[in-house]
Amino acid sequence: MPAAQRGRDAAADRLLVARGWGAPRLLRASRFVEGELGPRVGSMLSDAARRVEPPKTDGQRRNVAMTTLVGVMAVSLAGALLTRRGNARSSQDEVESERIEVRTP
């Protein structure tokens, strides 16, 4: 057991030395990322977003297209209603004319 105890103590000492060596380097790296690398990466991402964003569309062209579409739909609806009304009248006239023809003979 004394050998195991000595090995454990030696490992603990080496671990403390490694932590003492690594801590300042990690602190320096974190300061670099926060102070220099982070803003650079952020600005690169912002630039990339501006380049990827599609150009703004002209609102007037869309308004003209929508107005034209609504106008065509209104004319089509009016035509369909008039056609339906005309078909109903002509079929009613045919029925009345058949009734008149049936009664006369």
Side-chain angles (χ1 to χ4, degrees):
M1 282 298 206
Q5 182 65 31
R6 278 183 285 177
R8 195 175 317 147
D9 291 341
D13 289 340
R14 288 183 185 154
L15 186 60
L16 285 175
V17 169
R19 289 173 65 185
W21 177 85
R25 285 164 180 77
L26 286 173
L27 184 60
R28 194 173 337 130
S30 70
R31 287 183 181 153
F32 172 74
V33 169
E34 287 177 354
E36 295 182 33
L37 186 64
R40 287 183 201 170
V41 171
S43 66
M44 285 174 34
L45 289 174
S46 296
D47 292 341
R50 278 189 224 106
R51 279 185 260 136
V52 171
E53 186 177 4
K56 302 286 185 196
T57 58
D58 187 20
Q60 280 186 326
R61 283 188 286 178
R62 185 175 32 200
N63 290 341
V64 169
M66 288 299 289
T67 304
T68 304
L69 179 65
V70 168
V72 168
M73 288 174 58
V75 169
S76 299
L77 179 64
L81 289 174
L82 290 175
T83 302
R84 191 168 183 175
R85 184 179 291 173
N87 286 340
R89 283 183 183 167
S90 66
S91 65
Q92 187 179 15
D93 290 342
E94 288 176 11
V95 169
E96 287 179 7
S97 66
E98 287 177 8
R99 286 183 187 167
I100 293 172
E101 290 175 10
V102 172
R103 290 182 184 172
T104 52

